[in-house]
Amino acid sequence: MRREDLLDNLGFADVPADVADATAIMAPGALRGAARGHDLDSLTRTLFLRIYPVIAAVVLLTQAGIAWVNYTDQIRLYTDRANILASLTASAIARPGWERAPEIFGPQLQALARDPAFRYAALRDGAGTLLGSAGERPQGRDWNRVQVSATLDAAGDRSGNLTLVLSAEALRDNAERQALLALGTSLVLMLAFVATLNRTVRRHVVAPLKRLLVAMRKVEHKRWTTVDLGGAYRPSNEIDAISQAFNSMVEGLQSGDEAKRLLQALEQAHAQLETANRQVIESIGYARRIQASVLPERTALGGSVALAVLYQPLHLVGGDYYWLEEIDGLSVIVVADCTGHGVPGAFLTLIVATALDRLLHERGLRSPAAILAGLDAMVRAQLRQDGRGAESDDGLDCGICVWDPAGRSLLFAGAGLSLTAIRDGAVAQVRGGRRGLGYPRTGREALPEADTPVAVEPGTTFYLMTDGVTDQMGGAPGERPRLMGQRGVAERLLARADDDLDAQLAGLEQDLAAYRGSQPRRDDMTLVAFRLP
């Protein structure tokens, strides 16, 4: 942005050098809208409407919970008390021949009636015949009373049953009083809260903001004034900090020279940033050339395998990597998706390239599963994620295919990546393991222990791709963006299955761009397509 454009956007006007009056350095209306008729009292109402229902609900629920706990405890105590009374009375009555001796059980039943909560007691013999009772048979709802039973068992005689009913109306009345008390307490608390909130917000928020708005109105009309903080400036108070910044701005506008000096410093900082940015871009561009030199030639497999590659880093360098090599009569195809993208991902690709070179040439590994296991151990060791106190949690997803033309066998092993095959209008997928490589061990999921043989038939095309290809966000205009996914990519490849591989990938690239529309790409994209003779 040029200095003149910056001045215009900030609301400043050019001041001639011979003009001593600093009132012309701000264009009229620069603060318009910030200090016009805002109802600051609505802030209090907003806070009240947002906070009050929550506080009220919490207080009411708490009081209701306490009342309910008290009520249930009292009911339990009443029940225990009734059980004790019934058991003691039953023990006192249970003598040989008690059912024929009213002089035994009559006084016991009458003694129960002395309990203030007593309502009814009934004594029955073993056949269920009512022998005696006290009080009136209870009527009404069950929750207004507590009813228990005790068994009479005298040696040599038939057992009987004593039923005792105590009233719980006192408990219910007490619970209602507690509920009313809770409601009254809640109302008192809410009234106190509203009064305190209103007073606090008006004093500490609304009043300072009004002073700030008044000062802004004056500054808008070129009457330079500052906000009076009353000698009580508190850096931790946001409104005080804003007022202090406003005062500093006004002082800068009055001086004029200070504003120009700040603009000059901004221009210098902009020039320094531009230089630094150019140096960074040049460095990353050189890193791109280094990464491109590490990537294999796309003709590395010679004419034994028809092959095409789509490789598009999200930035100048990327975290995707592929390996193509013909060794010992075998064709090795590797696709890796390292953690992240850009420069961090590019560093990981160099580690992966070094590890693959050692595994294939120094150790002589030819099994895809064995190569994955070795790559996992070497990456973890290189990143010190093998138990030596590393702070990183990085790794990669990888898929490896090894083609043996002599035995016409194709072996596959994957860690986080799958192999897609298309033949005769059908799509098949050979899934790899879910666990990636190089990450710290968790013990929850192991790498593939054996290679997966893949049937090779004439005309079959195989695809190894990173999730940057499938994770395309887009869709029809006006609809909510959605992920294309494995199925969407497979459908587009299937539609071009009769084309040669280069044309397939070029068409797929166009389809992906059309699907994204205005949505940006999210990750590096790498896809290796090969067709075996």
Side-chain angles (χ1 to χ4, degrees):
M1 182 180 293
R2 296 179 304 174
R3 177 178 181 273
E4 293 78 12
D5 297 333
L6 181 61
L7 288 171
D8 293 340
N9 290 337
L10 291 178
F12 292 94
D14 291 334
V15 181
D18 56 350
V19 176
D21 186 6
T23 59
I25 64 174
M26 174 177 282
L31 296 176
R32 185 171 295 128
R36 288 287 181 86
H38 291 289
D39 185 9
L40 294 179
D41 291 338
S42 64
L43 179 62
T44 305
R45 292 195 294 271
T46 300
L47 291 175
F48 171 78
L49 294 176
R50 296 291 178 86
I51 300 176
Y52 180 85
V54 177
I55 301 297
V58 171
V59 172
L60 289 176
L61 289 176
T62 301
Q63 294 293 339
I66 294 174
W68 174 252
V69 170
N70 290 336
Y71 180 76
T72 54
D73 286 343
Q74 292 296 325
I75 286 291
R76 178 177 57 80
L77 293 175
Y78 258 59
T79 303
D80 294 341
R81 171 182 163 191
N83 283 321
I84 292 174
L85 288 175
S87 298
L88 292 175
T89 304
S91 299
I93 295 175
R95 306 174 187 174
W98 64 270
E99 69 275 9
R100 296 183 299 277
E103 65 275 12
I104 296 177
F105 59 77
Q108 298 293 341
L109 295 179
Q110 295 301 321
L112 290 174
R114 297 177 183 176
D115 192 291
F118 174 83
R119 286 297 178 267
Y120 179 71
L123 181 66
R124 290 179 171 82
D125 60 13
T129 304
L130 179 66
L131 301 179
S133 65
E136 298 181 358
R137 184 179 297 276
Q139 303 292 331
R141 300 175 181 175
D142 293 337
W143 54 270
N144 282 335
R145 60 180 180 269
V146 175
Q147 180 173 325
V148 298
S149 297
T151 302
L152 286 75
D153 191 3
D157 291 330
R158 293 178 299 172
S159 62
N161 180 269
L162 173 63
T163 300
L164 175 62
V165 178
L166 298 182
S167 174
E169 294 178 357
L171 296 181
R172 185 197 61 190
D173 295 338
N174 184 51
E176 292 176 352
R177 287 193 296 272
Q178 288 187 356
L180 293 176
L181 179 61
L183 180 59
T185 303
S186 301
L187 291 176
V188 172
L189 288 175
M190 292 304 103
L191 290 175
F193 166 75
V194 171
T196 304
L197 176 66
N198 181 70
R199 182 174 180 274
T200 302
V201 172
R202 285 182 177 274
R203 178 178 178 181
H204 297 285
V205 178
V206 175
L209 286 179
K210 283 185 175 179
R211 288 196 299 267
L212 180 60
L213 290 178
V214 169
M216 292 173 66
R217 292 190 185 100
K218 293 181 179 179
V219 170
E220 185 181 12
H221 294 88
K222 312 301 183 300
R223 294 180 305 202
W224 307 114
T225 185
T226 58
V227 179
D228 183 13
L229 299 177
Y233 171 69
R234 296 166 294 173
S236 60
N237 187 298
E238 291 81 359
I239 298 180
D240 286 355
I242 294 173
S243 300
Q244 183 68 21
F246 175 81
N247 292 343
S248 300
M249 182 194 71
V250 171
E251 293 173 1
L253 293 175
Q254 285 181 287
S255 62
D257 292 338
E258 180 66 16
K260 293 180 180 179
R261 188 188 66 80
L262 292 175
L263 290 175
Q264 291 175 356
L266 181 62
E267 291 176 351
Q268 293 175 0
H270 179 74
Q272 294 174 356
L273 288 175
E274 183 179 1
T275 301
N277 182 68
R278 183 173 62 254
Q279 293 174 351
V280 170
I281 295 299
E282 290 175 354
S283 298
I284 296 178
Y286 188 71
R288 176 182 177 86
R289 292 196 295 270
I290 295 176
Q291 187 179 45
S293 67
V294 177
L295 292 172
E297 295 289 340
R298 303 190 182 187
T299 59
L301 301 182
S304 61
V305 177
L307 183 138
V309 177
L310 171 63
Y311 179 76
Q312 287 189 1
L314 181 62
H315 304 299
L316 292 177
V317 291
D320 283 0
Y321 182 73
Y322 65 92
W323 180 284
L324 307 172
E325 185 175 4
E326 190 172 9
I327 181 171
D328 295 338
L330 303 176
S331 297
V332 180
I333 303 173
V334 181
V335 171
D337 183 0
C338 300
T339 302
H341 44 73
V343 175
F347 274 110
L348 281 177
T349 63
L350 298 179
I351 295 176
V352 172
T354 304
L356 284 173
D357 183 73
R358 292 182 58 188
L359 293 171
L360 293 173
H361 297 94
E362 294 182 12
R363 298 189 185 181
L365 299 182
R366 300 294 180 265
S367 165
I371 296 173
L372 285 180
L375 189 58
D376 176 59
M378 294 183 71
V379 172
R380 280 192 295 104
Q382 191 69 28
L383 296 179
R384 297 183 179 179
Q385 297 179 160
D386 53 356
R388 290 185 284 168
E391 297 181 357
S392 64
D393 184 16
D394 301 304
L396 66 147
D397 295 336
C398 185
I400 302 177
C401 290
V402 176
W403 162 246
D404 181 6
R408 292 197 58 77
S409 66
L410 177 64
L411 301 179
F412 169 74
L417 294 185
S418 302
L419 176 66
T420 302
I422 295 180
R423 181 179 180 274
D424 296 334
V427 178
Q429 191 175 62
V430 183
R431 295 189 178 275
R434 297 178 61 184
R435 175 179 176 266
L437 304 178
Y439 298 98
R441 291 186 181 275
T442 61
R444 293 177 296 179
E445 192 170 353
L447 293 172
E449 297 180 356
D451 302 329
T452 301
V454 181
V456 178
E457 298 181 10
T460 304
T461 305
F462 298 95
Y463 305 89
L464 272 176
M465 69 186 78
T466 62
D467 58 7
V469 179
T470 58
D471 292 351
Q472 305 286 330
M473 291 297 295
E479 295 183 358
R480 182 178 180 181
R482 57 183 179 180
L483 201 66
M484 175 179 286
Q486 289 274 1
R487 179 179 297 179
V489 174
E491 290 175 353
R492 285 159 176 79
L493 290 173
L494 183 61
R496 303 175 183 273
D498 295 333
D499 299 342
D500 60 74
L501 298 182
D502 290 325
Q504 283 189 32
L505 298 192
L508 175 64
E509 187 177 357
Q510 295 175 359
D511 292 342
L512 297 180
Y515 183 82
R516 288 194 306 268
S518 60
Q519 295 290 329
R521 277 176 51 201
R522 305 169 61 184
D523 201 355
D524 306 316
M525 295 196 308
T526 300
L527 189 153
V528 176
F530 59 96
R531 186 176 294 155
L532 303 178

